[in-house]
Amino acid sequence: MSDQRRGDRLDQPRTPRNLRLRRVDAETFGRWAEGIARGMGTANFLVYMTLILVAWFLWNTLAPANLRFDPYTFTFLTLVLSLQASYAAPLILLAQNRQADRDRIALDEDRRRATLQKADTEYLAREIAALRIAMGDVATRDFLRSELTRLGEELDEAAERRRKLERRQQEREARRTAGAERLDEPRDELDGDFARDGHYEG
């Protein structure tokens, strides 16, 4: 099943069916190819390659003629650089294919996680909506505070009204008591009762 899938992939070379080649561990070779491609893409490789080329030119130009192994036109150097380029390109492509495989797996995993997070978010949104609906009939803390404040003000007003009524009743009682004392006093000429009334009672 895996061989059939591998044969259908466009990023892998197709092997002839009638030619049996020794199989190489793709994972090990791929790691090795990625290491080489990663090393070729660094500044150290460029610096060392430049130093080797300069030394090559200087040796084959300034050294004695019998010690030069690649005289001018540098045919051997051209062959070496061609071989390097011919091997570097497939190694880089193999590293890119492996990176593309990893990116595809990471993308599938991200998509799966995003789907799970979306489902969790929708579930939480439904639960929050249900809680809001259920909390619609429940008294909140601010509502209770406002109601208690209103009840306290009403109680204060009722107590103030009660005090005013008690004060009025005390005043009425005081007036009634004062009126009763005045009525109980004997009428005589000394207090001026008869002069006040305008006639004498005999």
Side-chain angles (χ1 to χ4, degrees), residues 56-100:
W56 190 295
F57 291 148
L58 292 176
W59 181 266
N60 290 295
T61 304
L62 302 177
N66 57 352
L67 296 178
R68 296 176 189 174
F69 59 89
D70 189 19
Y72 180 69
T73 66
F74 309 113
T75 308
F76 185 57
L77 177 62
T78 304
L79 176 63
V80 170
L81 292 178
S82 299
L83 285 173
Q84 180 190 358
S86 63
Y87 276 98
L91 289 174
I92 292 172
L93 286 175
L94 179 59
Q96 287 179 349
N97 290 337
R98 285 173 58 84
Q99 185 62 40

Side-chain angles (χ1 to χ4, degrees), residues 47-189:
V47 171
Y48 294 148
M49 189 72 181
T50 303
L51 293 176
I52 291 171
L53 291 178
V54 169
W56 190 295
F57 291 148
L58 292 176
W59 181 266
N60 290 295
T61 304
L62 302 177
N66 57 352
L67 296 178
R68 296 176 189 174
F69 59 89
D70 189 19
Y72 180 69
T73 66
F74 309 113
T75 308
F76 185 57
L77 177 62
T78 304
L79 176 63
V80 170
L81 292 178
S82 299
L83 285 173
Q84 180 190 358
S86 63
Y87 276 98
L91 289 174
I92 292 172
L93 286 175
L94 179 59
Q96 287 179 349
N97 290 337
R98 285 173 58 84
Q99 185 62 40
D101 291 341
R102 281 196 296 269
D103 292 342
R104 184 173 60 252
I105 292 172
L107 184 62
D108 292 340
E109 184 66 19
D110 291 341
R111 189 180 293 113
R112 186 183 67 83
R113 289 183 180 178
T115 304
L116 291 176
Q117 288 179 356
K118 182 179 179 182
D120 291 341
T121 305
E122 290 177 353
Y123 172 75
L124 290 175
R126 288 194 298 270
E127 288 297 317
I128 290 173
L131 286 174
R132 284 183 176 175
I133 292 172
M135 290 292 290
D137 298 331
V138 178
T140 61
R141 182 174 58 187
D142 295 334
F143 175 75
L144 289 176
R145 284 181 179 173
S146 63
E147 288 297 315
L148 289 174
T149 303
R150 187 177 61 81
L151 287 175
E153 291 175 354
E154 289 180 359
L155 290 174
D156 292 340
E157 291 176 0
E160 185 66 24
R161 286 197 299 270
R162 192 179 302 113
R163 281 196 297 270
K164 289 181 180 178
L165 288 174
E166 290 177 357
R167 192 178 303 119
R168 288 177 185 172
Q169 288 178 357
Q170 289 175 358
E171 290 176 356
R172 287 177 186 170
E173 289 293 331
R175 287 179 194 158
R176 194 174 300 143
T177 305
E181 289 176 356
R182 192 175 299 129
L183 290 175
D184 292 340
E185 183 182 357
R187 298 171 66 85
D188 52 8
E189 296 179 4

Side-chain angles (χ1 to χ4, degrees), residues 20-59:
R20 296 288 180 181
L21 298 175
R22 184 181 177 188
R23 297 190 61 84
V24 181
D25 187 10
E27 188 65 26
T28 304
F29 187 77
R31 285 199 301 268
W32 178 72
E34 281 185 341
I36 294 176
R38 194 176 293 113
M40 292 177 67
T42 60
N44 290 332
F45 177 79
L46 294 176
V47 171
Y48 294 148
M49 189 72 181
T50 303
L51 293 176
I52 291 171
L53 291 178
V54 169
W56 190 295
F57 291 148
L58 292 176
W59 181 266

